[in-house]
Amino acid sequence: MKNQILLVGAPHTNKLTIANEVFNVSQSSLKCIIDSNNGSHAGLTIEGLPHETKYYTTELGLFIDELEDDSLEKFEIWLNDFKSDDVKELRDFIQGIVFTIDLNASSVEDIDKIAQHLEQLSTQFDDEFIESSNKQDIFQWDGFKIVVGVNKNKTGESPIDDEKLLEIEDTILSTGFEFINYNDTRETNEFGDVFGKERFVDIIENTEWRELDRIFKPMAAKSKEEEEKTRKELATPLIPKDKEESKDSEEDKLKSIENMDVILKKLNIARDAVKDMKSEEQKMEYVDNVLKDMFKYI
Amino acid sequence: MAIKYLILLSRQGKVRLTKWYITLSQKEKQRIVREVAAMIPLRKPKMCNVIEHKDSKIIYRRYASLFFICSVDNDDNELITLDIIQRYVEIMDKSYGNVCELDIIFNFQTAYHVLDELIIDGVIQESSASEVLKKVAQQDQLESGESLQR
């Protein structure tokens, strides 16, 4: 199973909410998984999550890991461990990495410090992927990198300061990760951007998963009329004739077809009539008259 | 005026489409794509859409999650380039029916098809959107006709 996503964050940073709302893992399934993991949110594995778009169907997998607490030190320790050679196999295996952070608990300075590690991690993903790939035109990792900010203010739903959000977004953007404010409920803006959970789903859909089943719409069977229409259109001359000329030629064609019918009928009648005639002179005279008559139609 | 290259880049920095109108080695193309991918996604919405880059200008426009990036000479008109990008997007929108990034990733042949009808050798060769759409539709019909015969 190759379409694995790693979801990491401090406790109470909406990891399971993301699993439920973005990846459609049911609450009951989550409860079972957590119970079987002795109630811990660290080291959870969820597989076989169906995912479908108009172009493909696939199954995704989630690895959920939880930091010991929301301190900067623990996050840095985790990042250093993840960048080590021991974890290379996991880095090669996953195709998406999502970090969840509490925007209330994290200051801009904390984010700056984490950003350095994120930048190194981003470069590491790219370098390792290029090295392991046989293709020459690859220059970046084929997965996605996201930092999800959540507002877990326990006293109420007070919004995060816009300036702080912008600063965090700029800092994270420069590392190669994309920042998503999970609680952003703005609708699509003038540029067509989507925000919050919708943007997260957008990224998942737009990823070229390593294992997927393409959906190809079968060619609709054409009716005979449609085929005939296509054939006529394809046979349309490249240089169109003048309208009058083309109109006359159409009438002429019809007229000539009618004339041919008349000629053939008259020939048949004349043939039958000639059989009954006895003298040669009579036959020759009759044939001359028939020929004169037919010249009118030719 | 001639466009040197056209690159479609996602907000995640992933390349979705490239079209080169100048001769470059594979390494040079990779270098350009890397430079552009490191520069453009970091631009904020209110920043200028024209960047002077080495001996040329990079003109870009953002539509939803995609950046449409063109490179032109320094003495070429930026507004015309922006208009060409706008025209390309409008035609793709009509061709796909409400085009999105997913269409360009998994149904890229239409995007290239429209581009090839619109621009040849970096110069716009058909300004009429309806003509481009008609040609693309005719060729699709030809293709589907051939497939049926098979």
Side-chain angles (χ1 to χ4, degrees), chain B residues 9-64:
Chain B
L9 215 59
S10 74
R11 273 170 62 183
Q12 285 262 314
K14 301 264 185 279
V15 176
R16 298 303 184 201
L17 183 149
T18 55
K19 188 76 180 181
W20 304 89
Y21 297 106
I22 51 173
T23 311
L24 291 167
S25 67
Q26 196 61 29
K27 273 191 178 172
E28 281 169 346
K29 287 180 187 175
Q30 276 191 22
R31 182 187 54 80
I32 289 172
V33 171
R34 241 183 265 125
E35 285 172 6
V36 161
M39 195 175 23
I40 304 294
L42 301 182
R43 308 267 304 171
K44 288 178 197 163
K46 290 186 181 174
M47 283 181 163
C48 183
N49 293 86
V50 182
I51 308 168
E52 283 182 2
H53 180 69
K54 295 180 182 176
D55 60 346
S56 61
K57 279 190 289 203
I58 290 179
I59 295 139
Y60 74 94
R61 195 150 178 193
R62 183 168 155 194
Y63 292 89

Side-chain angles (χ1 to χ4, degrees), chain A residues 1 3 5 23 46-49 51 58-62 204 209:
Chain A
M1 242 278 288
N3 305 336
I5 300 157
F23 297 98
I46 307 171
E47 288 184 3
L49 300 171
H51 177 65
T58 189
E59 283 186 349
L60 307 178
L62 264 184
I204 304 288
W209 297 104

Side-chain angles (χ1 to χ4, degrees), chain A residues 54-55 136 140 143 191 193, chain B residues 13-14 30 62 64 103 106:
Chain A
K54 61 180 173 177
Y55 288 108
Q136 286 189 356
Q140 58 184 189
F191 301 106
D193 291 327
Chain B
K14 301 264 185 279
Q30 276 191 22
R62 183 168 155 194
D103 292 319
F106 291 99

